Amino acid sequence: MSRIGNKVIVLPAGISITVGEDNVVLVKGPKGTLSQTVDTDITVEVEGNELKVSRPTEQKRHKALHGLYRSLINNMVIGVGEGYKKELEIIGVGYKASASNNVLELQLGYSHNIFMAIPSEIKLTTTSEKGQNPKVILEGIDKELIGSVAAKIKSLRKVEPYKGKGIRFVGEIVRRKAGKSASKK
């Protein structure tokens, strides 16, 4: 029994959902529209301001898809209503970030600057205040897209465990290691 799949999605005011042919779910809200193709075995029913996802049998595949599509549709509802935001923090001496026309320029201690094109669906801002680490802020309606772009940015300079330098999410805890200890003579 899928506990997540059996939960009903309550639609907030201003958000409408339509289920088209080929099981395409279209979610419209104040921030934009998103669509998701749902497996033909899974049924999606809209009743008033509630959405219910159900499966035909108790097969393992159907159970897995049941919870998956319910979560994806719920993420779309939250995205078009409130939106998603990820903040990345850049820690290290001389590490900088700047943005212009959805192109992110990073100086991460390599011999060259890194330029990364950000998809147009994501709003990109960078902040660098005195005494604070530079931050990269990603905002948009598609949770999956924001997560993948944030992971790609993070992979450009992974956090190392000795000094903690690198790119991390704001509030992320990094396990630190002790360095070499002095030898006894």
Side-chain angles (χ1 to χ4, degrees):
M1 176 168 149
S2 172
R3 292 183 182 168
I4 299 221
N6 288 332
K7 284 185 178 177
V8 175
I9 299 172
V10 178
L11 302 176
I15 294 177
S16 64
I17 292 186
T18 54
V19 182
E21 64 273 351
D22 299 333
N23 253 9
V24 176
V25 177
L26 186 72
V27 182
K28 291 182 183 177
K31 294 204 174 230
T33 61
L34 289 171
S35 65
Q36 174 71 44
T37 306
V38 178
D39 192 87
T40 53
D41 292 342
I42 305 296
T43 57
V44 180
E45 298 134 12
V46 181
E47 299 168 5
N49 69 336
E50 291 185 343
L51 181 127
K52 189 169 187 200
V53 180
S54 56
R55 62 177 181 257
T57 65
E58 294 294 315
Q59 289 179 8
K60 193 170 186 178
R61 179 179 168 274
H62 288 156
K63 286 181 178 181
L65 292 176
H66 187 210
L68 168 76
Y69 285 120
R70 191 260 176 213
S71 292
L72 290 177
I73 294 169
N74 190 45
N75 289 342
M76 291 186 337
V77 169
I78 294 169
V80 298
E82 303 164 19
Y84 288 102
K85 182 178 182 180
K86 289 248 186 205
E87 291 186 32
L88 294 147
E89 192 175 26
I90 302 172
I91 298 172
V93 177
Y95 290 8
K96 296 176 186 158
S98 61
S100 62
N101 298 336
N102 264 18
V103 174
L104 179 65
E105 181 183 357
L106 297 166
Q107 296 175 1
L108 299 174
Y110 297 117
S111 61
H112 58 283
N113 293 351
I114 298 170
F115 294 92
M116 185 175 174
I118 305 295
S120 59
E121 297 90 21
I122 295 177
K123 182 182 171 230
L124 170 72
T125 52
T126 56
T127 61
S128 54
E129 297 155 11
K130 190 169 184 175
Q132 298 281 344
N133 293 318
K135 289 183 183 163
V136 177
I137 301 163
L138 303 170
E139 293 178 277
I141 60 174
D142 193 350
K143 186 177 186 179
E144 184 180 355
L145 183 63
I146 287 181
S148 65
V149 169
K152 177 67 179 162
I153 292 171
K154 216 176 140 180
S155 72
L156 296 174
R157 179 65 98 175
K158 292 181 181 157
V159 179
E160 55 96 20
Y162 297 102
K163 289 187 176 179
K165 292 172 24 174
I167 302 174
R168 66 174 83 170
F169 292 114
V170 172
E172 180 182 354
I173 297 168
V174 175
R175 244 179 109 203
R176 301 287 295 270
K177 288 183 178 177
K180 292 187 215 173
S181 57
S183 62
K184 296 177 184 175
K185 288 188 178 182

